[in-house]
Amino acid sequence: MIRFLIVCILVIGFLILSIPILLVEWIIGKFNPMLKDTSSLHLIQAMFSLILKVTGVKVTVIGEENVPKDEPVLYIGNHRSFFDILLTYTRVPRRCGYIAKYEMRKVPLLSNWMSYLHCLFLDRKDIKQGLKTILTAIDKVKDGISICIFPEGTRNKGDNELELLPFHEGSFKIATKTGCPIIPMSMNNTASMWERHFPTIKPCHVILEYGKPIYVSELSREDKKHVGAYTQKIIEETLKKNAASLENI
């Protein structure tokens, strides 16, 4: 419970104390957008790293060399914990925006930081707005900004982390329309950090594995029609492999 309280204090304290920083970043962005993007990225990565340190989580990272450093990518991952975002965002090598649920847009200060980091808000109940968000994400990638999305559409609360919800194929238009590589991200045991024993945060061991880049243009005709299912299969196979590794630890 102490860890939970410390994390809450860190998050709330940062959001309040960072109000002047938001203003400074806004001013910097008027003159040097790239500098503003980079400084915002590094600041939030440092904050997320501190929070993860407080949780006591041990993270084993596999395949990080598969992530291109010289081009934007579409990160695709399974999603079982609120900490999935912190785990993955601390490791992005370049500017990266996440596609989040629309309700996050209503959270003061947090939504400001998310906008600074090129995050987009998706309303899955509004098809027209959802399409607009995907089109905006396509433009972000064309501008050199990576995008991360959890295509299950929501946090998977099932008992078996090896059983994923069906991936929404529309998310993959970001890759098919830009030609950027898809980077599968498989995360094992992240729900053990918090969700499985809410509200207590407990130390645990998680595995984050990055798969090899998937270029849609190199897939077979059939796989091109179902890129989501193709990527989901890769993530499921990796989750099963790493689940066995965790059992042997």
Side-chain angles (χ1 to χ4, degrees):
M1 195 64 179
I2 293 177
R3 285 188 173 88
F4 174 73
L5 293 175
I6 295 175
V7 168
C8 289
I9 292 172
L10 284 174
V11 172
I12 296 173
F14 172 79
L15 291 176
I16 295 174
L17 295 176
S18 68
I19 293 176
I21 300 176
L22 282 169
L23 178 58
V24 172
E25 291 285 74
W26 179 79
I27 295 173
I28 293 174
K30 289 295 181 180
F31 299 95
N32 191 332
M34 181 62 74
L35 177 60
K36 172 248 184 183
D37 286 353
T38 303
S39 59
S40 293
L41 169 64
H42 291 164
L43 179 62
I44 296 303
Q45 284 183 321
M47 189 62 202
F48 282 180
S49 295
L50 175 59
I51 292 174
L52 290 175
K53 187 174 182 179
V54 170
T55 67
V57 65
K58 177 183 177 182
V59 185
T60 296
V61 182
I62 303 171
E64 200 161 18
E65 68 278 2
N66 290 324
V67 182
K69 306 297 190 295
D70 56 353
E71 63 177 328
V73 305
L74 174 64
Y75 293 101
I76 295 292
N78 59 305
H79 188 30
R80 294 187 61 84
S81 171
F82 291 109
F83 283 97
D84 294 340
I85 298 167
L86 281 70
L87 284 167
T88 55
Y89 200 73
T90 54
R91 312 201 73 86
V92 296
R94 55 186 295 138
R95 295 178 298 164
C96 180
Y98 280 54
I99 293 186
K101 59 183 181 180
Y102 193 78
E103 289 75 10
M104 298 295 292
R105 192 171 189 172
K106 302 176 183 178
V107 182
L109 299 179
L110 177 61
S111 59
N112 295 93
W113 275 111
M114 291 177 72
S115 295
Y116 275 23
L117 297 169
H118 299 282
C119 293
L120 302 173
F121 303 95
L122 178 64
D123 185 353
R124 296 191 182 278
K125 298 179 182 179
D126 187 334
I127 297 178
K128 185 176 181 180
Q129 191 276 336
L131 176 59
K132 183 178 180 181
T133 300
I134 295 299
L135 292 175
T136 302
I138 290 172
D139 288 337
K140 293 282 187 184
V141 172
K142 290 179 179 178
D143 288 337
I145 300 166
S146 295
I147 293 292
C148 178
I149 190 167
F150 302 116
E152 290 175 278
T154 186
R155 187 167 54 86
N156 188 342
K157 302 175 184 178
D159 294 333
N160 188 353
E161 74 171 4
L162 303 182
E163 296 179 359
L164 305 184
L165 301 174
F167 281 11
H168 293 276
E169 292 285 344
S171 308
F172 294 83
K173 291 185 182 297
I174 300 170
T176 57
K177 296 296 184 181
T178 64
C180 77
I182 298 169
I183 302 297
M185 298 189 303
S186 307
M187 289 173 279
N188 286 77
N189 206 36
T190 57
S192 292
M193 296 177 67
W194 187 39
E195 285 77 7
R196 286 178 182 164
H197 33 73
F198 176 87
T200 306
I201 293 176
K202 294 184 177 180
C204 65
H205 187 182
V206 305
I207 298 179
L208 165 61
E209 179 164 350
Y210 296 94
K212 293 182 178 180
I214 300 170
Y215 291 91
V216 178
S217 61
E218 298 176 359
L219 298 179
S220 68
R221 180 178 298 181
E222 185 62 26
D223 288 334
K224 285 180 182 178
K225 295 179 181 178
H226 308 285
V227 185
Y230 178 86
T231 306
Q232 179 171 349
K233 183 178 180 180
I234 291 175
I235 292 176
E236 287 175 336
E237 291 174 349
T238 306
L239 287 172
K240 292 176 182 177
K241 178 197 65 152
N242 289 333
S245 298
L246 281 173
E247 290 178 358
N248 294 326
I249 293 176

